[in-house]
Amino acid sequence: MISWYSEMLFKKPIITKAITGFIIFGLGDYLCQELELRYLKKPGELEYMRILKQASFGIIVSPYLHLQYCKIIPWMFPKSDVKSTILSTAYAVTLSDGSLNLAFFIFMSLFNFKKKQITNSDNSNEKITESSNVVEVSSKKENEIFFANLKDDIMSKFIPVQINSMKVWSILTCINFYFVPVSFRVLFDNFFCIFWNIYLSFVEYNHDKKK
């Protein structure tokens, strides 16, 4: 299995890592939902669309991880000494992982943002749908709501997550850069991402309940 995966990484690295990312990010959300339903007694049932949304992010972000871990970081820090490991780790856990975490919350905000509708029975100037007395909020208002929600996500979700990310991934990234061959760095990263994605998913979908 490892030899087959190695061959696929060599022949089709982007596609292979995109499929891997899809599985791993989706698995992270699935495990998070199982924990929510079984141990936190969250009402409801397994949401497959939620799994698909997070898995889709894995497809999008895997080429970025490949570029960072297999191209940019080895080019910026080509040596295998302690100094290069420390510098590459500092770069990875701040700029590289920071961009990844920020992209995650932006991506999820885009997917989770729903058009808000208001009931209107008084203002005849509002556009009423044919089926009910419901009107869509104007595009300008929708944009204001979206960016307000995004700002809240960045302040209340991204910043704490990024702080925890630097704590957790500093050690793992040092191990990754110092011991793991370049071609397997994304795989190493993805394995631990399963557990990290459980945390990301929990933050994304349970944050409002903590307010």
Side-chain angles (χ1 to χ4, degrees), residues 103-188:
F104 173 80
F105 288 113
I106 293 175
F107 179 86
M108 298 308 291
S109 291
L110 286 169
F111 267 80
N112 291 329
F113 179 73
K114 296 179 180 180
K115 288 185 176 182
K116 294 190 175 181
Q117 296 179 313
I118 58 174
T119 302
N120 179 24
S121 57
D122 300 323
N123 191 347
S124 60
N125 292 327
E126 294 288 344
K127 184 178 180 179
I128 302 176
T129 60
E130 296 178 359
S131 58
S132 63
N133 292 329
V134 178
V135 297
E136 292 189 359
V137 180
S138 66
S139 296
K140 182 178 179 180
K141 186 66 175 178
E142 285 182 351
N143 290 337
E144 291 176 356
I145 295 172
F146 170 74
F147 284 110
N149 290 339
L150 181 58
K151 180 181 178 182
D152 177 69
D153 282 350
I154 292 173
M155 297 301 296
S156 60
K157 297 179 183 179
F158 165 69
I159 293 178
V161 163
Q162 180 57 23
I163 292 172
N164 289 330
S165 176
M166 289 188 290
K167 294 176 183 177
V168 172
W169 286 102
S170 294
I171 297 173
L172 293 174
T173 304
C174 275
I175 296 172
N176 196 3
F177 288 147
Y178 200 76
F179 295 105
V180 180
V182 171
S183 60
F184 284 96
R185 285 179 179 176
V186 172
L187 179 62
F188 176 92

Side-chain angles (χ1 to χ4, degrees), residues 17-204:
K17 289 171 183 177
I19 295 173
T20 304
F22 178 85
I23 295 171
I24 288 175
F25 273 82
L27 180 60
D29 185 70
Y30 167 77
L31 293 174
C32 180
Q33 290 195 55
E34 286 291 339
L35 291 171
E36 291 170 355
L37 294 171
R38 294 188 182 188
Y39 298 101
L40 299 181
K41 306 301 181 183
K42 184 177 179 180
E45 56 186 17
L46 198 65
E47 299 178 36
Y48 292 99
M49 282 303 299
R50 174 176 148 177
I51 296 173
L52 183 60
K53 283 186 288 187
Q54 190 148 319
S56 299
F57 181 74
I59 294 179
I60 296 171
V61 81
S62 288
Y64 167 80
L65 289 173
H66 171 78
L67 184 65
Q68 286 286 359
Y69 280 85
C70 299
K71 301 294 181 181
I72 295 177
I73 293 177
W75 175 75
M76 293 176 64
F77 312 101
K79 297 181 181 180
S80 300
D81 56 7
V82 175
K83 180 181 178 181
S84 294
T85 301
I86 293 173
L87 291 174
S88 58
T89 298
Y91 170 83
V93 300
T94 54
L95 296 177
S96 180
D97 291 353
S99 300
L100 174 65
N101 291 327
L102 180 61
F104 173 80
F105 288 113
I106 293 175
F107 179 86
M108 298 308 291
S109 291
L110 286 169
F111 267 80
N112 291 329
F113 179 73
K114 296 179 180 180
K115 288 185 176 182
K116 294 190 175 181
Q117 296 179 313
I118 58 174
T119 302
N120 179 24
S121 57
D122 300 323
N123 191 347
S124 60
N125 292 327
E126 294 288 344
K127 184 178 180 179
I128 302 176
T129 60
E130 296 178 359
S131 58
S132 63
N133 292 329
V134 178
V135 297
E136 292 189 359
V137 180
S138 66
S139 296
K140 182 178 179 180
K141 186 66 175 178
E142 285 182 351
N143 290 337
E144 291 176 356
I145 295 172
F146 170 74
F147 284 110
N149 290 339
L150 181 58
K151 180 181 178 182
D152 177 69
D153 282 350
I154 292 173
M155 297 301 296
S156 60
K157 297 179 183 179
F158 165 69
I159 293 178
V161 163
Q162 180 57 23
I163 292 172
N164 289 330
S165 176
M166 289 188 290
K167 294 176 183 177
V168 172
W169 286 102
S170 294
I171 297 173
L172 293 174
T173 304
C174 275
I175 296 172
N176 196 3
F177 288 147
Y178 200 76
F179 295 105
V180 180
V182 171
S183 60
F184 284 96
R185 285 179 179 176
V186 172
L187 179 62
F188 176 92
D189 188 78
N190 281 339
F191 174 76
F192 290 99
C193 266
I194 295 175
F195 305 100
W196 181 252
N197 289 336
I198 295 173
Y199 167 65
L200 282 180
S201 184
F202 184 82
V203 171
E204 173 63 25

